[in-house]
Amino acid sequence: MITLPRTEAATPPEDPALHFIRVELAPSRQRWIAALGFTGLALIGVLATVTFRIPYPVLVFAGILLLTVPLTHRPFRQAAEVTGAAFLGAGFAILLAVTTYDQPWVYLPLQCAALTVLLVLSRVTAARPAFILAALVLSFAEPAYLPDPEAAIRAALFNALALGGTAWVVAMAGAPFAPAATRDEASASPGRGELVGFAMLALTAIGLQMLFYNTINLPEIRTGVIAVLLTADPDLRAVWRRMPLRQLCAAGCAALALLMIAVGAPLMDDLGFFAVLAAGCYFAAGWVAHGSPRIAFAAVPGAVTVTLVLLLDFRFTIDIVPSLLNVAGAMWGFLVTALIALLLAPAVEQRVERQS
Protein backbone atom coordinates (compact mmCIF):
# COMPACT_ATOMS: atom_id res chain seq x y z
CA MET A 1 0.00 0.00 0.00
CA ILE A 2 1.42 3.32 -1.06
CA THR A 3 0.60 6.36 1.04
CA LEU A 4 0.79 9.73 -0.55
CA PRO A 5 2.01 12.68 1.53
CA ARG A 6 -0.77 14.92 2.67
CA THR A 7 -0.74 18.46 1.38
CA GLU A 8 -1.99 21.24 3.55
CA ALA A 9 -5.10 22.99 2.38
CA ALA A 10 -4.37 26.17 0.53
CA THR A 11 -4.96 29.27 2.62
CA PRO A 12 -7.79 31.28 1.08
CA PRO A 13 -6.71 34.76 0.01
CA GLU A 14 -7.61 37.56 2.38
CA ASP A 15 -10.38 39.88 1.30
CA PRO A 16 -8.78 43.09 -0.10
CA ALA A 17 -11.07 45.32 1.96
CA LEU A 18 -10.25 43.49 5.19
CA HIS A 19 -6.55 43.55 4.31
CA PHE A 20 -6.72 47.30 3.72
CA ILE A 21 -8.47 47.85 7.07
CA ARG A 22 -6.05 45.57 8.94
CA VAL A 23 -2.98 47.26 7.49
CA GLU A 24 -4.07 50.90 7.33
CA LEU A 25 -5.88 51.06 10.68
CA ALA A 26 -3.32 49.02 12.61
CA PRO A 27 -2.42 50.49 16.00
CA SER A 28 1.05 51.63 16.98
CA ARG A 29 2.50 53.57 19.87
CA GLN A 30 3.17 56.64 17.73
CA ARG A 31 -0.34 56.54 16.30
CA TRP A 32 -1.94 56.33 19.75
CA ILE A 33 0.08 59.31 20.94
CA ALA A 34 -0.69 61.38 17.83
CA ALA A 35 -4.43 60.55 17.87
CA LEU A 36 -4.70 61.33 21.58
CA GLY A 37 -2.86 64.61 20.99
CA PHE A 38 -5.31 65.55 18.26
CA THR A 39 -8.22 64.60 20.51
CA GLY A 40 -6.85 66.87 23.23
CA LEU A 41 -6.64 69.77 20.79
CA ALA A 42 -10.17 68.98 19.61
CA LEU A 43 -11.44 69.14 23.19
CA ILE A 44 -9.82 72.56 23.56
CA GLY A 45 -11.65 73.53 20.36
CA VAL A 46 -14.99 72.26 21.70
CA LEU A 47 -14.61 74.18 24.96
CA ALA A 48 -13.42 77.32 23.16
CA THR A 49 -16.33 77.13 20.71
CA VAL A 50 -18.87 77.20 23.51
CA THR A 51 -16.98 79.53 25.88
CA PHE A 52 -16.12 82.19 23.30
CA ARG A 53 -19.24 81.58 21.20
CA ILE A 54 -17.34 80.85 17.99
CA PRO A 55 -20.05 80.91 15.31
CA TYR A 56 -18.42 78.69 12.65
CA PRO A 57 -16.45 76.00 14.52
CA VAL A 58 -15.78 73.95 11.40
CA LEU A 59 -12.98 76.45 10.72
CA VAL A 60 -11.32 75.62 14.02
CA PHE A 61 -11.32 71.88 13.47
CA ALA A 62 -10.28 72.10 9.83
CA GLY A 63 -7.43 74.30 11.05
CA ILE A 64 -6.35 71.81 13.70
CA LEU A 65 -6.11 69.00 11.15
CA LEU A 66 -4.46 71.03 8.42
CA LEU A 67 -1.87 72.34 10.87
CA THR A 68 -1.05 69.03 12.57
CA VAL A 69 -0.82 66.65 9.60
CA PRO A 70 2.04 66.65 8.84
CA LEU A 71 3.85 68.43 11.65
CA THR A 72 6.11 71.29 10.56
CA HIS A 73 9.54 71.95 12.01
CA ARG A 74 8.63 75.65 12.25
CA PRO A 75 5.32 75.69 14.15
CA PHE A 76 5.50 79.34 15.22
CA ARG A 77 6.35 80.52 11.73
CA GLN A 78 3.38 78.51 10.45
CA ALA A 79 1.15 80.13 13.09
CA ALA A 80 2.29 83.58 11.93
CA GLU A 81 1.57 82.63 8.30
CA VAL A 82 -1.90 81.37 9.18
CA THR A 83 -2.70 84.51 11.18
CA GLY A 84 -1.60 86.78 8.34
CA ALA A 85 -3.45 84.76 5.71
CA ALA A 86 -6.62 84.62 7.84
CA PHE A 87 -6.70 88.40 8.03
CA LEU A 88 -6.01 88.54 4.28
CA GLY A 89 -9.12 86.42 3.73
CA ALA A 90 -11.03 88.66 6.13
CA GLY A 91 -9.80 91.69 4.20
CA PHE A 92 -11.18 90.25 0.96
CA ALA A 93 -14.50 89.60 2.71
CA ILE A 94 -14.69 93.11 4.15
CA LEU A 95 -13.84 94.71 0.80
CA LEU A 96 -16.57 92.73 -0.94
CA ALA A 97 -19.08 93.43 1.84
CA VAL A 98 -18.44 97.18 1.72
CA THR A 99 -18.69 97.44 -2.07
CA THR A 100 -21.14 94.84 -3.40
CA TYR A 101 -22.94 93.10 -0.54
CA ASP A 102 -26.39 94.30 -1.68
CA GLN A 103 -25.70 93.00 -5.22
CA PRO A 104 -25.40 89.21 -4.94
CA TRP A 105 -25.09 88.78 -8.71
CA VAL A 106 -21.83 90.77 -8.46
CA TYR A 107 -20.73 89.69 -4.98
CA LEU A 108 -20.85 85.94 -5.58
CA PRO A 109 -18.74 85.90 -8.80
CA LEU A 110 -16.16 88.17 -7.14
CA GLN A 111 -16.12 85.97 -4.06
CA CYS A 112 -15.72 82.87 -6.25
CA ALA A 113 -12.77 84.50 -8.06
CA ALA A 114 -11.15 85.54 -4.76
CA LEU A 115 -11.50 82.02 -3.37
CA THR A 116 -9.82 80.65 -6.50
CA VAL A 117 -6.93 83.11 -6.12
CA LEU A 118 -6.40 82.05 -2.51
CA LEU A 119 -6.42 78.38 -3.47
CA VAL A 120 -3.88 79.01 -6.24
CA LEU A 121 -1.68 80.85 -3.73
CA SER A 122 -1.89 77.78 -1.50
CA ARG A 123 -0.18 75.81 -4.27
CA VAL A 124 2.45 78.27 -5.48
CA THR A 125 3.69 79.21 -2.00
CA ALA A 126 5.01 77.19 0.94
CA ALA A 127 2.15 78.41 3.17
CA ARG A 128 -0.39 75.92 1.83
CA PRO A 129 -2.57 75.46 4.97
CA ALA A 130 -2.55 79.21 5.61
CA PHE A 131 -4.15 80.15 2.29
CA ILE A 132 -6.65 77.28 2.41
CA LEU A 133 -7.80 78.54 5.80
CA ALA A 134 -7.90 82.11 4.45
CA ALA A 135 -10.25 80.88 1.74
CA LEU A 136 -12.42 79.27 4.41
CA VAL A 137 -12.65 82.61 6.24
CA LEU A 138 -13.78 84.32 3.05
CA SER A 139 -16.29 81.57 2.23
CA PHE A 140 -18.31 82.25 5.40
CA ALA A 141 -19.10 85.87 4.51
CA GLU A 142 -22.05 85.35 2.15
CA PRO A 143 -25.40 87.05 1.54
CA ALA A 144 -26.94 83.56 1.48
CA TYR A 145 -27.16 83.42 5.25
CA LEU A 146 -25.83 86.73 6.67
CA PRO A 147 -28.45 89.50 6.70
CA ASP A 148 -26.30 92.61 6.09
CA PRO A 149 -22.75 93.79 5.37
CA GLU A 150 -22.07 94.46 9.05
CA ALA A 151 -22.79 90.81 9.84
CA ALA A 152 -20.40 89.73 7.08
CA ILE A 153 -17.67 92.03 8.43
CA ARG A 154 -18.14 90.77 11.99
CA ALA A 155 -18.08 87.14 10.82
CA ALA A 156 -14.89 87.70 8.80
CA LEU A 157 -13.04 89.39 11.67
CA PHE A 158 -14.22 86.89 14.27
CA ASN A 159 -13.27 83.94 12.07
CA ALA A 160 -9.82 85.43 11.44
CA LEU A 161 -9.29 85.86 15.18
CA ALA A 162 -10.52 82.31 15.86
CA LEU A 163 -8.16 80.84 13.26
CA GLY A 164 -5.24 82.92 14.49
CA GLY A 165 -5.85 81.71 18.03
CA THR A 166 -6.17 78.12 16.81
CA ALA A 167 -2.88 78.36 14.93
CA TRP A 168 -0.97 79.63 17.97
CA VAL A 169 -2.49 77.02 20.29
CA VAL A 170 -1.53 74.29 17.82
CA ALA A 171 1.98 75.77 17.51
CA MET A 172 2.52 75.80 21.29
CA ALA A 173 1.17 72.24 21.60
CA GLY A 174 3.26 70.94 18.71
CA ALA A 175 6.54 72.77 19.36
CA PRO A 176 7.95 70.06 21.69
CA PHE A 177 7.24 67.40 19.04
CA ALA A 178 8.34 69.37 15.97
CA PRO A 179 10.47 67.21 13.62
CA ALA A 180 13.96 68.21 12.59
CA ALA A 181 14.38 70.34 9.49
CA THR A 182 15.14 68.55 6.23
CA ARG A 183 16.57 69.87 3.00
CA ASP A 184 13.71 68.70 0.82
CA GLU A 185 10.63 69.41 2.87
CA ALA A 186 8.44 71.26 0.39
CA SER A 187 6.54 69.36 -2.26
CA ALA A 188 7.21 70.23 -5.88
CA SER A 189 5.15 73.08 -7.23
CA PRO A 190 2.67 72.13 -9.96
CA GLY A 191 3.54 73.02 -13.53
CA ARG A 192 1.77 75.74 -15.44
CA GLY A 193 -0.64 73.32 -17.10
CA GLU A 194 -1.52 71.63 -13.81
CA LEU A 195 -1.98 75.03 -12.16
CA VAL A 196 -4.37 76.14 -14.90
CA GLY A 197 -6.35 72.91 -14.47
CA PHE A 198 -6.41 73.42 -10.70
CA ALA A 199 -7.72 76.98 -11.10
CA MET A 200 -10.40 75.77 -13.53
CA LEU A 201 -11.42 73.04 -11.09
CA ALA A 202 -11.67 75.45 -8.16
CA LEU A 203 -13.52 78.15 -10.09
CA THR A 204 -16.01 75.71 -11.67
CA ALA A 205 -16.70 73.64 -8.56
CA ILE A 206 -17.12 76.66 -6.26
CA GLY A 207 -19.30 78.46 -8.79
CA LEU A 208 -21.59 75.45 -9.30
CA GLN A 209 -21.98 74.98 -5.56
CA MET A 210 -22.90 78.64 -5.06
CA LEU A 211 -25.33 78.57 -7.97
CA PHE A 212 -26.94 75.37 -6.67
CA TYR A 213 -27.71 76.37 -3.09
CA ASN A 214 -28.72 79.92 -4.03
CA THR A 215 -31.05 78.66 -6.75
CA ILE A 216 -32.92 76.27 -4.48
CA ASN A 217 -32.66 78.71 -1.54
CA LEU A 218 -31.12 76.19 0.85
CA PRO A 219 -28.10 77.84 2.50
CA GLU A 220 -27.50 74.86 4.82
CA ILE A 221 -25.92 72.88 1.97
CA ARG A 222 -23.39 75.64 1.31
CA THR A 223 -20.97 73.31 3.09
CA GLY A 224 -20.32 72.02 -0.43
CA VAL A 225 -18.07 75.07 -0.92
CA ILE A 226 -16.07 74.01 2.15
CA ALA A 227 -15.71 70.56 0.58
CA VAL A 228 -14.25 72.11 -2.58
CA LEU A 229 -11.76 74.23 -0.65
CA LEU A 230 -10.53 71.25 1.36
CA THR A 231 -10.27 68.66 -1.42
CA ALA A 232 -9.32 70.47 -4.66
CA ASP A 233 -5.87 69.41 -5.88
CA PRO A 234 -3.72 70.03 -8.99
CA ASP A 235 -3.54 66.25 -9.54
CA LEU A 236 -7.04 66.02 -10.97
CA ARG A 237 -7.16 62.25 -11.26
CA ALA A 238 -6.09 61.95 -7.63
CA VAL A 239 -9.14 64.02 -6.63
CA TRP A 240 -11.34 61.40 -8.29
CA ARG A 241 -9.40 58.41 -6.89
CA ARG A 242 -9.54 59.80 -3.37
CA MET A 243 -13.24 60.64 -3.47
CA PRO A 244 -14.60 57.21 -2.37
CA LEU A 245 -12.38 57.07 0.71
CA ARG A 246 -13.19 60.69 1.55
CA GLN A 247 -16.90 59.93 1.27
CA LEU A 248 -16.53 56.77 3.35
CA CYS A 249 -14.62 58.54 6.14
CA ALA A 250 -17.02 61.49 6.13
CA ALA A 251 -20.08 59.25 6.27
CA GLY A 252 -18.53 56.96 8.89
CA CYS A 253 -17.55 59.83 11.19
CA ALA A 254 -20.97 61.45 10.77
CA ALA A 255 -22.66 58.13 11.60
CA LEU A 256 -20.44 57.77 14.67
CA ALA A 257 -21.40 61.27 15.82
CA LEU A 258 -25.10 60.52 15.31
CA LEU A 259 -24.68 57.26 17.24
CA MET A 260 -23.02 59.14 20.08
CA ILE A 261 -25.95 61.54 20.08
CA ALA A 262 -28.48 58.72 20.17
CA VAL A 263 -26.71 57.08 23.09
CA GLY A 264 -25.60 60.13 25.01
CA ALA A 265 -28.22 62.80 24.35
CA PRO A 266 -30.60 61.58 27.09
CA LEU A 267 -27.75 61.93 29.60
CA MET A 268 -26.16 65.06 28.16
CA ASP A 269 -26.87 67.65 30.84
CA ASP A 270 -23.61 69.58 30.92
CA LEU A 271 -20.72 70.67 28.72
CA GLY A 272 -18.27 68.22 30.27
CA PHE A 273 -20.29 65.20 29.19
CA PHE A 274 -20.70 66.66 25.71
CA ALA A 275 -16.95 67.23 25.45
CA VAL A 276 -16.28 63.58 26.36
CA LEU A 277 -18.85 62.49 23.77
CA ALA A 278 -17.24 64.68 21.10
CA ALA A 279 -13.76 63.40 22.00
CA GLY A 280 -14.66 59.88 20.88
CA CYS A 281 -15.72 61.17 17.47
CA TYR A 282 -12.65 63.37 16.97
CA PHE A 283 -10.40 60.52 18.08
CA ALA A 284 -11.66 58.51 15.08
CA ALA A 285 -10.75 61.36 12.71
CA GLY A 286 -7.37 61.77 14.41
CA TRP A 287 -6.67 58.04 14.07
CA VAL A 288 -7.20 58.25 10.31
CA ALA A 289 -5.21 61.49 10.07
CA HIS A 290 -2.10 59.93 11.58
CA GLY A 291 -2.10 56.84 9.39
CA SER A 292 -0.16 56.35 6.18
CA PRO A 293 -0.51 58.80 3.25
CA ARG A 294 -2.92 56.27 1.65
CA ILE A 295 -5.65 57.25 4.14
CA ALA A 296 -4.50 60.40 5.98
CA PHE A 297 -6.11 62.70 3.39
CA ALA A 298 -9.57 61.35 4.35
CA ALA A 299 -9.35 62.71 7.90
CA VAL A 300 -10.31 66.30 7.08
CA PRO A 301 -13.75 65.31 5.68
CA GLY A 302 -14.26 63.12 8.74
CA ALA A 303 -13.48 65.92 11.20
CA VAL A 304 -15.63 68.35 9.22
CA THR A 305 -18.71 66.09 9.27
CA VAL A 306 -18.28 65.42 13.00
CA THR A 307 -18.26 69.17 13.57
CA LEU A 308 -21.30 69.69 11.36
CA VAL A 309 -23.24 67.11 13.38
CA LEU A 310 -22.14 68.03 16.90
CA LEU A 311 -21.51 71.78 16.76
CA LEU A 312 -24.15 73.90 15.10
CA ASP A 313 -22.83 77.44 15.61
CA PHE A 314 -21.69 77.76 19.22
CA ARG A 315 -24.38 75.55 20.70
CA PHE A 316 -23.90 72.09 22.15
CA THR A 317 -27.56 71.18 21.81
CA ILE A 318 -28.53 68.76 19.06
CA ASP A 319 -30.68 69.58 16.03
CA ILE A 320 -30.67 66.64 13.62
CA VAL A 321 -32.24 68.15 10.48
CA PRO A 322 -29.80 71.08 10.00
CA SER A 323 -26.92 68.76 10.87
CA LEU A 324 -27.95 66.25 8.22
CA LEU A 325 -28.39 69.02 5.64
CA ASN A 326 -24.90 70.33 6.41
CA VAL A 327 -23.42 66.83 6.05
CA ALA A 328 -25.35 66.23 2.83
CA GLY A 329 -23.98 69.48 1.40
CA ALA A 330 -20.42 68.45 2.23
CA MET A 331 -20.88 64.98 0.73
CA TRP A 332 -22.36 66.53 -2.40
CA GLY A 333 -19.41 68.92 -2.59
CA PHE A 334 -16.89 66.07 -2.44
CA LEU A 335 -18.71 64.27 -5.27
CA VAL A 336 -19.11 67.32 -7.52
CA THR A 337 -15.46 68.32 -7.07
CA ALA A 338 -14.31 64.82 -8.02
CA LEU A 339 -16.60 64.66 -11.06
CA ILE A 340 -15.40 68.02 -12.38
CA ALA A 341 -11.78 66.97 -11.81
CA LEU A 342 -12.37 63.75 -13.76
CA LEU A 343 -13.91 65.68 -16.66
CA LEU A 344 -11.08 68.25 -16.75
CA ALA A 345 -8.25 65.72 -16.41
CA PRO A 346 -7.93 64.68 -20.13
CA ALA A 347 -7.78 68.28 -21.36
CA VAL A 348 -5.20 69.26 -18.74
CA GLU A 349 -3.06 66.20 -19.49
CA GLN A 350 -3.09 67.01 -23.21
CA ARG A 351 -2.03 70.59 -22.45
CA VAL A 352 0.83 69.38 -20.25
CA GLU A 353 2.00 66.95 -22.98
CA ARG A 354 2.01 69.74 -25.57
CA GLN A 355 4.05 71.99 -23.29
CA SER A 356 6.58 69.22 -22.59
Side-chain angles (χ1 to χ4, degrees):
M1 178 177 174
I2 300 175
T3 59
L4 298 176
R6 292 191 304 172
T7 58
E8 295 184 1
T11 304
E14 186 177 12
D15 182 82
L18 294 177
H19 176 76
F20 181 84
I21 292 171
R22 182 175 62 81
V23 172
E24 297 299 335
L25 298 181
S28 66
R29 182 174 179 272
Q30 293 78 9
R31 195 170 192 175
W32 274 105
I33 293 173
L36 288 172
F38 174 77
T39 305
L41 288 172
L43 284 178
I44 294 174
V46 170
L47 296 174
T49 296
V50 179
T51 303
F52 300 107
R53 303 173 71 84
I54 299 175
Y56 311 110
V58 69
L59 283 166
V60 173
F61 295 100
I64 292 173
L65 261 179
L66 288 173
L67 298 176
T68 56
V69 182
L71 283 174
T72 177
H73 76 279
R74 294 175 174 176
F76 294 107
R77 176 178 175 177
Q78 185 182 62
E81 291 172 348
V82 170
T83 303
F87 279 97
L88 175 64
F92 274 127
I94 292 170
L95 179 62
L96 290 176
V98 169
T99 56
T100 60
Y101 200 79
D102 57 346
Q103 306 172 49
W105 57 91
V106 177
Y107 184 97
L108 293 177
L110 289 177
Q111 185 189 36
C112 186
L115 290 172
T116 303
V117 169
L118 290 172
L119 284 185
V120 171
L121 287 174
S122 75
R123 291 296 176 170
V124 299
T125 67
R128 181 188 173 194
F131 284 109
I132 293 176
L133 293 171
L136 284 170
V137 170
L138 175 57
S139 73
F140 279 91
E142 280 195 4
Y145 65 101
L146 294 176
D148 52 52
E150 291 184 4
I153 293 171
R154 287 195 301 270
L157 290 175
F158 198 98
N159 284 333
L161 287 171
L163 269 185
T166 300
W168 286 102
V169 170
V170 170
M172 288 185 288
F177 309 99
T182 58
R183 289 185 179 180
D184 186 21
E185 62 185 36
S187 58
S189 299
R192 183 178 300 177
E194 292 178 325
L195 204 57
V196 170
F198 175 63
M200 292 173 60
L201 168 64
L203 190 64
T204 306
I206 293 170
L208 284 177
Q209 294 292 338
M210 289 181 173
L211 181 65
F212 181 59
Y213 65 74
N214 279 280
T215 300
I216 65 175
N217 194 25
L218 194 63
E220 289 84 0
I221 64 171
R222 61 168 303 282
T223 49
V225 174
I226 300 172
V228 179
L229 300 178
L230 293 175
T231 61
D233 192 275
D235 187 348
L236 300 182
R237 293 199 182 274
V239 178
W240 172 256
R241 290 195 301 269
R242 291 177 170 184
M243 185 269 294
L245 195 56
R246 281 185 171 127
Q247 295 276 37
L248 179 62
C249 187
C253 287
L256 177 61
L258 290 169
L259 178 62
M260 290 286 194
I261 290 171
V263 173
L267 305 174
M268 189 177 65
D269 54 358
D270 58 24
L271 177 59
F273 185 87
F274 176 76
V276 172
L277 181 149
C281 302
Y282 285 112
F283 179 83
W287 190 267
V288 174
H290 293 92
S292 73
R294 293 182 65 190
I295 66 168
F297 64 85
V300 173
V304 166
T305 53
V306 167
T307 308
L308 294 175
V309 171
L310 295 180
L311 290 166
L312 289 173
D313 293 336
F314 51 82
R315 298 171 292 161
F316 65 96
T317 54
I318 306 301
D319 195 348
I320 296 297
V321 174
S323 296
L324 290 178
L325 286 174
N326 286 334
V327 172
M331 302 284 283
W332 173 251
F334 299 141
L335 176 62
V336 169
T337 306
L339 285 172
I340 294 173
L342 184 64
L343 292 174
L344 288 175
V348 172
E349 289 167 356
Q350 290 176 4
R351 178 186 176 93
V352 171
E353 287 177 1
R354 288 197 300 268
Q355 289 179 349
S356 60

PDB file of all heavy atoms in Angstrom, residues 14 107 121 141-142 146 151 211 225 297 313 335 353:
ATOM      1  N   GLU A  14      -6.910  36.619   1.512  1.00  0.00           N
ATOM      2  CA  GLU A  14      -7.611  37.561   2.383  1.00  0.00           C
ATOM      3  C   GLU A  14      -8.383  38.563   1.537  1.00  0.00           C
ATOM      4  O   GLU A  14      -7.928  39.007   0.473  1.00  0.00           O
ATOM      5  CB  GLU A  14      -6.614  38.302   3.274  1.00  0.00           C
ATOM      6  CG  GLU A  14      -7.277  39.196   4.305  1.00  0.00           C
ATOM      7  CD  GLU A  14      -6.257  39.854   5.222  1.00  0.00           C
ATOM      8  OE1 GLU A  14      -5.053  39.783   4.900  1.00  0.00           O
ATOM      9  OE2 GLU A  14      -6.659  40.427   6.245  1.00  0.00           O
ATOM     10  N   TYR A 107     -21.498  90.159  -6.135  1.00  0.00           N
ATOM     11  CA  TYR A 107     -20.734  89.690  -4.975  1.00  0.00           C
ATOM     12  C   TYR A 107     -20.274  88.246  -5.142  1.00  0.00           C
ATOM     13  O   TYR A 107     -19.098  87.937  -4.922  1.00  0.00           O
ATOM     14  CB  TYR A 107     -21.595  89.816  -3.713  1.00  0.00           C
ATOM     15  CG  TYR A 107     -20.884  89.457  -2.437  1.00  0.00           C
ATOM     16  CD1 TYR A 107     -20.322  90.436  -1.637  1.00  0.00           C
ATOM     17  CD2 TYR A 107     -20.766  88.130  -2.024  1.00  0.00           C
ATOM     18  CE1 TYR A 107     -19.665  90.111  -0.461  1.00  0.00           C
ATOM     19  CE2 TYR A 107     -20.104  87.788  -0.856  1.00  0.00           C
ATOM     20  CZ  TYR A 107     -19.557  88.785  -0.074  1.00  0.00           C
ATOM     21  OH  TYR A 107     -18.907  88.454   1.085  1.00  0.00           O
ATOM     22  N   LEU A 121      -2.791  80.445  -4.587  1.00  0.00           N
ATOM     23  CA  LEU A 121      -1.677  80.852  -3.727  1.00  0.00           C
ATOM     24  C   LEU A 121      -1.260  79.729  -2.780  1.00  0.00           C
ATOM     25  O   LEU A 121      -0.084  79.607  -2.423  1.00  0.00           O
ATOM     26  CB  LEU A 121      -2.058  82.094  -2.923  1.00  0.00           C
ATOM     27  CG  LEU A 121      -2.136  83.403  -3.705  1.00  0.00           C
ATOM     28  CD1 LEU A 121      -2.676  84.527  -2.816  1.00  0.00           C
ATOM     29  CD2 LEU A 121      -0.773  83.778  -4.270  1.00  0.00           C
ATOM     30  N   ALA A 141     -18.493  84.545   4.580  1.00  0.00           N
ATOM     31  CA  ALA A 141     -19.104  85.872   4.513  1.00  0.00           C
ATOM     32  C   ALA A 141     -19.962  85.956   3.257  1.00  0.00           C
ATOM     33  O   ALA A 141     -19.537  86.453   2.224  1.00  0.00           O
ATOM     34  CB  ALA A 141     -18.021  86.950   4.501  1.00  0.00           C
ATOM     35  N   GLU A 142     -21.186  85.445   3.330  1.00  0.00           N
ATOM     36  CA  GLU A 142     -22.046  85.350   2.148  1.00  0.00           C
ATOM     37  C   GLU A 142     -23.425  85.926   2.410  1.00  0.00           C
ATOM     38  O   GLU A 142     -23.981  85.757   3.503  1.00  0.00           O
ATOM     39  CB  GLU A 142     -22.206  83.882   1.732  1.00  0.00           C
ATOM     40  CG  GLU A 142     -21.031  83.348   0.953  1.00  0.00           C
ATOM     41  CD  GLU A 142     -21.386  82.038   0.269  1.00  0.00           C
ATOM     42  OE1 GLU A 142     -22.543  81.619   0.359  1.00  0.00           O
ATOM     43  OE2 GLU A 142     -20.497  81.449  -0.350  1.00  0.00           O
ATOM     44  N   LEU A 146     -26.099  85.583   5.807  1.00  0.00           N
ATOM     45  CA  LEU A 146     -25.827  86.732   6.670  1.00  0.00           C
ATOM     46  C   LEU A 146     -26.688  87.905   6.208  1.00  0.00           C
ATOM     47  O   LEU A 146     -26.716  88.233   5.025  1.00  0.00           O
ATOM     48  CB  LEU A 146     -24.347  87.103   6.613  1.00  0.00           C
ATOM     49  CG  LEU A 146     -23.396  86.059   7.194  1.00  0.00           C
ATOM     50  CD1 LEU A 146     -21.945  86.474   6.992  1.00  0.00           C
ATOM     51  CD2 LEU A 146     -23.682  85.819   8.664  1.00  0.00           C
ATOM     52  N   ALA A 151     -22.901  92.201   9.380  1.00  0.00           N
ATOM     53  CA  ALA A 151     -22.790  90.814   9.843  1.00  0.00           C
ATOM     54  C   ALA A 151     -21.657  90.091   9.125  1.00  0.00           C
ATOM     55  O   ALA A 151     -20.922  89.299   9.740  1.00  0.00           O
ATOM     56  CB  ALA A 151     -24.112  90.084   9.616  1.00  0.00           C
ATOM     57  N   LEU A 211     -24.140  78.478  -7.130  1.00  0.00           N
ATOM     58  CA  LEU A 211     -25.335  78.568  -7.965  1.00  0.00           C
ATOM     59  C   LEU A 211     -26.402  77.611  -7.490  1.00  0.00           C
ATOM     60  O   LEU A 211     -27.593  77.949  -7.427  1.00  0.00           O
ATOM     61  CB  LEU A 211     -24.958  78.270  -9.425  1.00  0.00           C
ATOM     62  CG  LEU A 211     -26.099  78.336 -10.446  1.00  0.00           C
ATOM     63  CD1 LEU A 211     -26.640  79.757 -10.541  1.00  0.00           C
ATOM     64  CD2 LEU A 211     -25.608  77.856 -11.816  1.00  0.00           C
ATOM     65  N   VAL A 225     -19.208  74.195  -0.604  1.00  0.00           N
ATOM     66  CA  VAL A 225     -18.073  75.067  -0.915  1.00  0.00           C
ATOM     67  C   VAL A 225     -16.880  74.716  -0.029  1.00  0.00           C
ATOM     68  O   VAL A 225     -15.732  74.689  -0.481  1.00  0.00           O
ATOM     69  CB  VAL A 225     -18.471  76.548  -0.739  1.00  0.00           C
ATOM     70  CG1 VAL A 225     -17.265  77.461  -0.912  1.00  0.00           C
ATOM     71  CG2 VAL A 225     -19.551  76.934  -1.735  1.00  0.00           C
ATOM     72  N   PHE A 297      -5.377  61.614   4.039  1.00  0.00           N
ATOM     73  CA  PHE A 297      -6.112  62.696   3.391  1.00  0.00           C
ATOM     74  C   PHE A 297      -7.606  62.653   3.700  1.00  0.00           C
ATOM     75  O   PHE A 297      -8.303  63.661   3.568  1.00  0.00           O
ATOM     76  CB  PHE A 297      -5.903  62.635   1.871  1.00  0.00           C
ATOM     77  CG  PHE A 297      -6.457  61.397   1.237  1.00  0.00           C
ATOM     78  CD1 PHE A 297      -7.785  61.313   0.852  1.00  0.00           C
ATOM     79  CD2 PHE A 297      -5.650  60.288   1.014  1.00  0.00           C
ATOM     80  CE1 PHE A 297      -8.296  60.166   0.268  1.00  0.00           C
ATOM     81  CE2 PHE A 297      -6.151  59.143   0.434  1.00  0.00           C
ATOM     82  CZ  PHE A 297      -7.474  59.078   0.063  1.00  0.00           C
ATOM     83  N   ASP A 313     -23.229  76.154  15.036  1.00  0.00           N
ATOM     84  CA  ASP A 313     -22.831  77.439  15.606  1.00  0.00           C
ATOM     85  C   ASP A 313     -22.070  77.188  16.903  1.00  0.00           C
ATOM     86  O   ASP A 313     -21.202  76.341  16.962  1.00  0.00           O
ATOM     87  CB  ASP A 313     -24.039  78.342  15.812  1.00  0.00           C
ATOM     88  CG  ASP A 313     -24.655  78.760  14.471  1.00  0.00           C
ATOM     89  OD1 ASP A 313     -23.921  78.745  13.476  1.00  0.00           O
ATOM     90  OD2 ASP A 313     -25.836  79.089  14.442  1.00  0.00           O
ATOM     91  N   LEU A 335     -18.376  64.977  -4.026  1.00  0.00           N
ATOM     92  CA  LEU A 335     -18.706  64.272  -5.266  1.00  0.00           C
ATOM     93  C   LEU A 335     -18.589  65.194  -6.474  1.00  0.00           C
ATOM     94  O   LEU A 335     -17.983  64.827  -7.492  1.00  0.00           O
ATOM     95  CB  LEU A 335     -20.123  63.704  -5.170  1.00  0.00           C
ATOM     96  CG  LEU A 335     -20.652  63.006  -6.426  1.00  0.00           C
ATOM     97  CD1 LEU A 335     -19.792  61.801  -6.778  1.00  0.00           C
ATOM     98  CD2 LEU A 335     -22.103  62.585  -6.227  1.00  0.00           C
ATOM     99  N   GLU A 353       1.196  67.677 -21.988  1.00  0.00           N
ATOM    100  CA  GLU A 353       2.000  66.949 -22.981  1.00  0.00           C
ATOM    101  C   GLU A 353       2.476  67.889 -24.089  1.00  0.00           C
ATOM    102  O   GLU A 353       3.618  67.806 -24.533  1.00  0.00           O
ATOM    103  CB  GLU A 353       1.161  65.807 -23.564  1.00  0.00           C
ATOM    104  CG  GLU A 353       0.951  64.654 -22.595  1.00  0.00           C
ATOM    105  CD  GLU A 353       0.060  63.582 -23.192  1.00  0.00           C
ATOM    106  OE1 GLU A 353      -0.373  63.752 -24.365  1.00  0.00           O
ATOM    107  OE2 GLU A 353      -0.210  62.566 -22.506  1.00  0.00           O
TER     108      GLU A 353
END
